[in-house]
Amino acid sequence: MNGLLAILVASVSIAVGSTSAAEFSFVDVSTQSGIGPYTMANGLSAGAAAADFDNDGDIDIFVPTAQGIPDQLYRNLGNGQFEEIAATVGLNSTEPDEVGIWFDFDGDGDLDLAVARASCKIPCTSTLLRLYRQDAGPTFEDVTVASGLSALTTTQELADVGALAAGDLNNDGFLDLHLGFWEGPGFLFKNNGDGSFSDISSSSGLAGVRSHWQSIMFDFNRDGWLDILQLIDFLGNILWINQQDMTFVDAAPAAGLDNAMNDMGVSLGDYDNDGDFDVYVTNILRIDRNNVFLRNDSTEGSLNFTEISQALAVANGGFGWGTTFLDADNDTRLDLAATNGNSGTFVDDVSRFFHNVGGNPVGFNEISDEVQFNDTDWGSSLIAFDYDRDGDLDLLQTCNLGGPLRLRRNDRIGTAANNNHLVIRPRTNGPNTHAIGAVVRVTVGATTMSRLITAGTSHLGQEPAEAFFGLGAATIADIVVEWPDGSTTAIETVSANQVMTIVQGDVQKQTVPATSNLSLLAMLAGLALVAKRLGPRHS
């Protein structure tokens, strides 16, 4: 048995392989793909939200815009082209909007949309947060008043939305909303499950005036309840640990996550494929501050993150904003992209791309020029998704000061062009239909990769509720989905180069090839590795 496993690991390890730094590049295809003129709302930043809102298998894009300019909804036509349809479906608000989040708030299977606006002067006469329910057509109905979100009030003058994220914080299946303003208050809205929300900002502990930037929801301490990592400008970041009763306690100082710089953008990713999620945070490059890379060194019962940005050579990010982990060359290793910019000293900041070259310890090379991710615009949000379904991750970037909405197509060449991929779309039959908070793990040989399903990431951004994996040269993979309720689904011997929807509770019947004994051994080895690294999950 040991000899068989050794042969298996050796053979698949060869199949995974690696690629050189110049075997992919990002080509600006915005205009030719149907992306039109774009103007960001007045302020420091604004985002974009990617999701398959019409459930046709292709990823669409919602883009908030400036005062007097209709918001944009780009429907993906499935042929590399987008059609702007905001007016047709009822999402063409001309408010100065900065961020939107797709989430199925009523659990009917259709994605709805929350949109937050900026530039609210005292007294606030406009709705700060709007909610659109998707109906048949599809069309969208403004249900802000009926949902209770129109009652959102503030005594602060709000210039910029800093954070918007969704997740099921009380494990009732319905997605709650977190909203924060830069130099303004933080809000938490509990989804009551009947189409309405309750403002529990004060009772939850999240209220308070701070300089909020992006938040992200994840079960950091693996107790079965989503927590919230909240970036704070000027002061220490906050890790709101869920007390399982819709109250939260800050554990950032003890965990090493209280970086006290000018943190603005965040992404979670397992860069070293060790089974846990590490944290990359963008910042302002100055003598005493830079982008930070927080390696997850946590053990069971103890959260511990170690700052290693200098050692990984990913500290220099300019005046950082949006960021994302992505496997750009499908070699099984997560790379890093980060956009940046501002006025004055930072006006010529070049966007950064850090290529994961593996090794022990893992290293990164900065190859921004080689892969053409080197614009000098004032970048804001940055998200990754496969818009053309050609098997690699593309980039979408919003830019300030009249800069464009830029769609960058990933073009692979050489070895990278032959690397395989797998996309997993986890779905449930409960109210959390898009499985926000789920973790998907894929094993090829001795390598297990992990992805998190989120609603809110980067900087005022959202990536689709699907998990993209580069597989190298491997043609089959084994899958484990860890659902938000703590249960798991394991499927072995899945063929590469497909988009696969896995519904929680459905019976999966796979056609197993003659070599299934080897695949089964690989799956068991991968599951054992994950279990060893993560330890038990407590409820």
Side-chain angles (χ1 to χ4, degrees), residues 222-257:
R222 293 192 57 79
D223 66 351
W225 299 75
L226 287 182
D227 311 301
I228 305 173
L229 176 60
Q230 172 67 71
L231 302 191
I232 303 293
D233 207 349
F234 310 115
L235 301 175
N237 296 331
I238 299 172
L239 176 60
W240 293 116
I241 292 294
N242 194 330
Q243 302 301 294
Q244 306 178 14
D245 59 358
M246 290 302 267
T247 66
F248 298 81
V249 174
D250 181 17
L257 289 172

Side-chain angles (χ1 to χ4, degrees), residues 145-162:
V145 173
S147 71
L149 294 176
S150 63
L152 173 60
T153 59
T154 178
T155 58
Q156 302 293 318
E157 184 170 301
L158 307 176
D160 290 276
V161 182

Side-chain angles (χ1 to χ4, degrees), residues 152 179 186-190 198-208:
L152 173 60
L179 171 68
F187 296 96
L188 184 62
F189 300 100
K190 176 184 176 295
S198 297
D199 184 348
I200 61 167
S201 309
S202 297
S203 62
S204 69
L206 270 64

Side-chain angles (χ1 to χ4, degrees), residues 105-107 167-170 172-176 191-194 431-432:
F105 88 94
D106 52 3
D168 179 12
L169 294 169
N170 61 348
D172 66 351
F174 290 93
L175 299 181
D176 311 295
N191 189 330
N192 297 319
D194 59 1
N432 184 4

Side-chain angles (χ1 to χ4, degrees), residues 362-519:
V362 172
F364 287 85
N365 287 338
E366 203 234 302
I367 57 171
S368 309
D369 290 339
E370 291 91 328
V371 301
Q372 300 180 55
F373 187 64
N374 57 354
D375 66 274
T376 56
D377 291 309
W378 179 344
S380 178
S381 190
L382 183 69
I383 54 177
F385 58 99
D386 185 6
Y387 86 93
D388 51 2
R389 290 298 191 203
D390 66 346
D392 51 34
L393 287 171
D394 313 294
L395 291 171
L396 184 76
Q397 175 191 30
T398 62
C399 298
N400 207 341
L401 298 180
L405 173 67
R406 182 181 286 116
L407 179 63
R408 299 175 180 269
R409 186 185 66 213
N410 183 351
D411 288 348
R412 291 175 291 142
I413 62 174
T415 304
N418 297 318
N419 283 343
N420 298 312
H421 75 285
L422 184 62
V423 179
I424 305 300
R425 292 161 41 111
R427 299 292 184 261
T428 80
N429 289 311
N432 184 4
T433 56
H434 286 63
I436 302 303
V439 172
V440 183
R441 305 189 194 274
V442 163
T443 298
V444 289
T447 300
T448 297
M449 299 161 281
S450 305
R451 305 287 187 266
L452 173 65
I453 306 299
T454 62
T457 186
S458 184
H459 180 82
L460 303 182
Q462 180 181 21
E463 295 175 340
E466 60 183 43
F468 185 101
F469 298 88
L471 303 182
T475 58
I476 59 172
D478 301 311
I479 303 167
V480 175
V481 179
E482 299 174 4
W483 301 100
D485 66 3
S487 64
T488 61
T489 297
I491 308 173
E492 63 176 280
T493 322
V494 173
S495 298
N497 301 324
Q498 65 169 307
V499 178
M500 183 177 187
T501 298
I502 300 176
V503 179
Q504 184 179 18
D506 280 9
V507 176
Q508 300 288 338
K509 294 183 179 180
Q510 301 297 313
T511 300
V512 182
T515 55
S516 62
N517 58 326
L518 294 182
S519 180

Side-chain angles (χ1 to χ4, degrees), residues 18-86:
S18 62
T19 58
S20 66
E23 289 192 329
F24 60 97
S25 61
F26 294 97
V27 179
D28 187 343
V29 294
S30 308
T31 301
Q32 70 189 66
S33 299
I35 303 297
Y38 163 73
T39 303
M40 181 182 291
N42 290 336
L44 295 174
S45 58
D52 180 11
F53 87 90
D54 53 3
N55 201 31
D56 65 353
D58 300 306
I59 305 303
D60 314 293
I61 310 165
F62 173 78
V63 186
T65 58
Q67 176 78 50
I69 298 176
D71 289 340
Q72 299 170 336
L73 176 60
Y74 288 100
R75 182 173 61 189
N76 192 327
L77 300 179
N79 60 358
Q81 297 292 305
F82 289 88
E83 177 186 16
E84 205 288 297
I85 61 166

